[in-house]
């Protein structure tokens, strides 16, 4: 949270002189090409598609999410009321689920599965300005977004197998993103939602220790992220 506050403060300080220039220069609303930076936060939730421990299929679970952060640089081409936008983002998110597992003897156990992920994201956004009048604009947008996980920045945790060090083989994920963007002069506020279309892994948990086994533990899921960001047109 300290990082997010620092980024938001930096954007605000940078926006003050930029706002003064915007009164003299051509407004961002009217430009053919825009580019800028954003910083914000997001809350990730896992949606389980296949959830098994041994021969036991888990049908109910509860979710929890920590607040992560997103930092982005973007470029936008404006075509009348429409625009096309792409860029590069760095995202850090955390989420977990808790559930009960029944062992072969019929005993119930409380379990927790958590994911801590870092990734680079490249979106291709198609937007439409519902309102476009100097110095304001209000737009709706939708499009695909590809997330590339950092090999050294993605971790899975599973509480139900002693001290086993859990590992998953993460891969790139195709997401659908949609949201609302409000711009006032060179400042923008964005509210959006990402929904995973493909799976981030095969969902099979393995142990990094060859002497331990995690046979039959499957956590196949998609992930949704609700996010908010504050941006600055440069």
């Amino acid at each position: 949270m300290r990082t997010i506050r620092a980024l938001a403060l930096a954007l605000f300080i940078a926006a003050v002189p930029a706002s003064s220039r915007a009164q003299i220069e051509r407004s961002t609303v009217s430009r053919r090409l825009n580019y800028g930076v954003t910083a914000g936060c997001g809350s990730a939730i896992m949606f389980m598609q296949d959830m098994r421990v041994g021969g036991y299929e888990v049908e109910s679970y509860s979710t929890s999410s920590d607040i992560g952060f997103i930092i982005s640089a973007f470029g936008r081409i404006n075509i009348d009321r429409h625009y096309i936008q792409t860029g590069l983002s760095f995202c850090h998110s955390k989420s977990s689920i808790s559930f009960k597992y029944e062992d072969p003897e019929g005993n119930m156990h409380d379990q927790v599965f958590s994911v801590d992920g870092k990734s680079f994201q490249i979106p291709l956004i198609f937007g439409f300005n519902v309102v476009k009048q100097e110095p304001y604009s209000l737009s709706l947008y939708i499009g695909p977004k590809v997330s590339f996980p950092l090999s050294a920045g993605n971790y899975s945790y599973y509480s139900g197998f002693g001290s086993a060090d859990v590992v998953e083989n993460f891969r790139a994920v195709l997401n659908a993103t949609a949201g609302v963007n409000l711009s006032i002069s060179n400042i923008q506020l964005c509210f959006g939602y990402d929904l995973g279309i493909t799976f981030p892994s095969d969902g099979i948990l393995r142990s990094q220790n060859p002497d331990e086994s995690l046979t039959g533990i499957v956590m196949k899921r998609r992930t949704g992220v609700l996010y908010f960001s504050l941006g600055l047109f440069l």
Side-chain angles (χ1 to χ4, degrees):
M1 291 302 292
R2 291 181 179 178
T3 302
I4 296 171
R5 288 196 295 266
L7 290 169
L9 179 60
L11 285 173
F12 177 77
I13 293 174
V16 173
S19 297
S20 299
R21 291 196 305 271
Q23 296 177 2
I24 302 173
E25 299 174 356
R26 190 181 182 189
S27 170
T28 56
V29 175
S30 302
R31 290 176 185 169
R32 176 71 171 178
L33 176 65
N34 295 130
Y35 60 94
V37 294
T38 65
C41 56
S43 177
I45 297 180
M46 290 186 284
F47 301 102
M48 308 306 294
Q49 307 294 308
D50 186 5
M51 194 172 173
R52 286 174 282 136
V53 180
Y56 181 78
E57 183 174 354
V58 181
E59 297 182 352
S60 62
Y61 60 91
S62 59
T63 62
S64 62
S65 175
D66 292 332
I67 300 298
F69 67 86
I70 305 170
I71 304 172
S72 305
F74 68 89
R76 176 187 297 182
I77 299 175
N78 296 296
I79 308 170
D80 294 327
R81 284 186 171 270
H82 301 82
Y83 63 84
I84 301 174
Q85 179 174 308
T86 188
L88 180 64
S89 303
F90 175 75
C91 178
H92 180 206
S93 63
K94 296 181 180 181
S95 57
S96 64
I97 61 169
S98 57
F99 61 95
K100 293 185 180 295
Y101 155 63
E102 183 178 2
D103 63 24
E105 288 73 32
N107 301 314
M108 300 299 293
H109 304 272
D110 293 325
Q111 309 292 334
V112 176
F113 173 67
S114 304
V115 176
D116 186 333
K118 299 181 180 69
S119 63
F120 285 108
Q121 301 177 333
I122 299 178
L124 181 59
I125 291 172
F126 302 91
F128 175 74
N129 286 288
V130 180
V131 176
K132 188 175 182 180
Q133 183 175 359
E134 303 286 1
Y136 309 104
S137 70
L138 176 65
S139 67
L140 306 176
Y141 66 84
I142 191 170
K145 179 186 290 185
V146 182
S147 297
F148 300 93
L150 297 179
S151 57
N154 284 267
Y155 305 95
S156 298
Y157 306 93
Y158 180 63
S159 68
F161 199 81
S163 60
D165 193 2
V166 174
V167 62
E168 275 191 278
N169 295 323
F170 291 96
R171 54 179 176 246
V173 178
L174 176 62
N175 301 282
T177 187
V180 179
N181 193 307
L182 171 64
S183 298
I184 304 175
S185 186
N186 64 322
I187 307 298
Q188 68 164 339
L189 299 175
C190 181
F191 298 87
Y193 185 76
D194 292 350
L195 178 62
I197 297 176
T198 60
F199 300 108
S201 76
D202 56 14
I204 300 175
L205 304 191
R206 302 174 178 87
S207 176
Q208 292 183 354
N209 187 338
D211 297 328
E212 295 177 315
S213 173
L214 291 175
T215 304
I217 299 183
V218 178
M219 297 287 155
K220 193 171 184 178
R221 74 259 178 205
R222 291 186 172 90
T223 303
V225 180
L226 180 66
Y227 61 88
F228 160 78
S229 64
L230 172 66
L232 175 67
F233 289 109
L234 301 177

